[in-house]
Amino acid sequence: MHAHDEAQLTFAATGMVQVHTGAGRWLVPPQLGVWIPAGVQHHVEVLSDAELWMVHWDPAAARAWAPPTRLDRAFALRITPLMRTLLAVAFDSAMSADKTELVVRLMLHELTETAHAPTFLPLPTGATGKRIAAVAAGDVRNRLSVAEIASRAATSVRTLSRVFLTETGLTFKTWRQRARIVHAMDSLARGKAIAQVASELGFASTASFSSAFRQVTATTPSAFLEPSA
């Protein structure tokens, strides 16, 4: 874990990474980027062979150039065609300083106007919550009942429900569904077919998988895989 004096946009041009903060983790396939404000502790975990691009802003420049919106918290966003073009231009070594400033100013406007991507999985902070999360995350086919998960984590259903809502801000049911879909996004971004992922996660059909995927991400698996979406 480390922090920067500058704000940071992390983008995997190829491959797959996860960005961890004290609050949880973001899955970052090439369709997404993650904004990390200055001073926020984080680390980047490379999940597959990746080409990683990072853009840094001095905090004063980010405040001066960005639209009047909140950039004081970490979030994931979809990389729009415009943002992808801006990133490509920004990494052109022949670009002048004046043009660079215009590009990174426009980047701030684009990232604040793009809908956030729900790939964030908040993590429990206490020992009990971490045990529960480990058991639930390992049950990708959703076969265990809540009572079985609580038992394996050496706690009660009542404690499970209270801990998750308190420490993650999500009900256990919502967290479990999001964890399962984040796992699905990981598999899809690694090149697995939609039908294969649906089967591996225990969904009755591709249609039921797509419905659950849409509930969490507000998009379909096929749209998620489309870079220009």
Side-chain angles (χ1 to χ4, degrees), residues 170-191:
L170 302 175
T171 65
F172 179 68
K173 180 180 179 181
T174 300
W175 186 93
R176 191 181 187 186
Q177 182 185 43
R178 184 176 294 190
R180 199 177 182 201
I181 297 304
V182 166
H183 183 95
M185 287 189 281
D186 186 351
S187 297
L188 291 170
R190 290 176 188 270

Side-chain angles (χ1 to χ4, degrees), residues 9-176:
L9 176 65
T10 299
F11 167 63
T14 61
M16 170 80 67
V17 300
Q18 286 189 107
V19 176
H20 298 251
T21 70
R25 64 182 176 92
W26 281 265
L27 183 72
V28 191
Q31 297 88 349
L32 305 180
V34 172
W35 171 262
I36 304 293
V40 172
Q41 289 280 330
H42 66 281
H43 82 268
V44 178
E45 176 187 4
V46 179
L47 301 179
S48 63
D49 189 22
E51 179 182 344
L52 197 61
W53 297 7
M54 296 183 182
V55 183
H56 292 89
W57 284 263
D58 178 272
R63 288 192 297 270
W65 295 345
T69 188
R70 290 183 59 189
L71 289 176
D72 59 349
R73 57 190 176 85
F75 60 87
L77 66 150
R78 288 196 68 84
I79 297 296
T80 62
L82 174 56
M83 180 65 89
R84 191 177 295 272
T85 299
L86 291 171
L87 284 161
V89 171
F91 281 84
D92 182 351
S93 59
M95 193 166 59
S96 68
D98 287 345
K99 188 175 180 181
T100 299
E101 179 178 325
L102 292 173
V103 167
V104 296
R105 279 176 178 255
L106 185 53
M107 277 186 187
L108 290 172
H109 284 261
E110 184 68 0
L111 72 87
T112 56
E113 293 175 4
T114 302
H116 295 178
T119 65
F120 178 59
L121 189 65
L123 298 177
T125 54
T128 299
K130 289 178 180 179
R131 289 197 308 272
I132 297 166
V135 174
D139 180 34
V140 295
R141 296 181 67 84
N142 221 31
R143 288 176 168 173
L144 297 177
S145 68
V146 176
E148 288 173 317
I149 291 174
S151 177
R152 294 189 183 194
T155 188
S156 67
V157 172
R158 183 176 181 180
T159 298
L160 177 152
S161 300
R162 176 180 54 79
V163 163
F164 260 78
L165 191 57
T166 300
E167 297 186 1
T168 71
L170 302 175
T171 65
F172 179 68
K173 180 180 179 181
T174 300
W175 186 93
R176 191 181 187 186

